[in-house]
Amino acid sequence: MIPGGKGANQAAAAARLGVEVEMLGRVGKDAFAEEMLDNMRHQGVGTDHIIRDTEAASGTAMIMVQADGDNSIVVAPGANGRVNVEDVDRMEAAIRQARCLVLQFEIPLPVVRHAIALADRAGVRVVLNPAPAYAVDADLLHGVYCLVVNETEAETLTGLSVDDLDEARRAAEALRQMQIP
């Protein structure tokens, strides 16, 4: 077992590069939460905006690697599944002062949509990693500066197969078009 999660790992990577990072999310009141918070602080990630949820356990994921090297991830979102619009609004001042807002689909999609809109109105660049992958309306991507996808996420968002370079180019163009309002 190791602390992580896509958002926490991206925050830790940015902090290691010397970027000032504040994390927004929720953890439970359990041993996983303590380990996660301690690890983030050790990595240089600010944790003042992480809420201790008394009604849900910390989110967990189990990663299974198949014989061919492909992986499958089973996620129990726990407290992170309870992040809400009000949580984002409480951080509005910090978001408005940020140079970049990095989001994933590890929190509810309405919250992702709200955070993108808030950042876009403030002129803050949004980097979105739409994982775990969900099919979404194209308008969710309006205001996204940079979209970080793998082949599964590209296929899920566009409905296009991404099995070779030409297909990947078509999917990339479709994603680019989705980002233009």
Side-chain angles (χ1 to χ4, degrees):
M1 291 188 325
I2 57 171
K6 194 170 296 297
N9 292 342
Q10 291 169 338
R16 285 180 172 190
L17 291 171
V19 176
E20 184 178 336
V21 179
E22 285 293 327
M23 183 84 174
L24 166 65
R26 286 179 176 248
V27 294
K29 287 197 170 186
D30 50 46
F32 290 127
E34 292 305 321
E35 186 175 358
M36 173 75 74
L37 293 170
D38 288 346
N39 182 61
M40 281 195 279
R41 288 183 200 111
H42 177 75
Q43 302 295 330
V45 176
T47 60
D48 291 344
H49 299 287
I50 296 178
I51 297 164
R52 301 298 295 264
D53 195 303
T54 59
E55 297 181 28
S58 297
T60 58
M62 178 165 297
I63 304 169
M64 296 167 277
V65 179
Q66 300 169 3
D68 65 1
D70 282 343
N71 69 27
S72 179
I73 303 172
V74 178
V75 177
N80 244 6
R82 294 174 38 83
V83 172
N84 58 54
V85 168
E86 291 79 19
D87 295 342
V88 173
D89 287 345
R90 280 192 288 279
M91 235 184 120
E92 182 174 353
I95 292 170
R96 289 185 176 283
Q97 293 177 1
R99 291 177 46 205
C100 181
L101 176 66
V102 180
L103 294 162
Q104 308 78 28
F105 282 2
E106 293 181 310
I107 60 176
L109 292 179
V111 180
V112 171
R113 182 181 305 275
H114 180 73
I116 291 170
L118 191 157
D120 188 45
R121 286 190 306 271
V124 175
R125 290 183 170 174
V126 175
V127 175
L128 176 63
N129 185 316
Y134 297 101
V136 296
D137 296 328
D139 69 333
L140 183 126
L141 301 180
H142 296 174
V144 172
Y145 173 75
C146 180
L147 191 61
V148 180
V149 296
N150 64 21
E151 66 275 7
T152 301
E153 294 145 8
E155 286 180 10
T156 301
L157 290 172
T158 65
L160 300 172
S161 179
V162 184
D163 292 326
D164 62 37
L165 188 56
D166 288 334
E167 290 176 349
R169 285 185 178 124
R170 281 192 290 277
E173 179 57 26
L175 288 169
R176 192 180 72 73
Q177 291 299 318
M178 291 170 73
Q179 287 179 262
I180 300 171

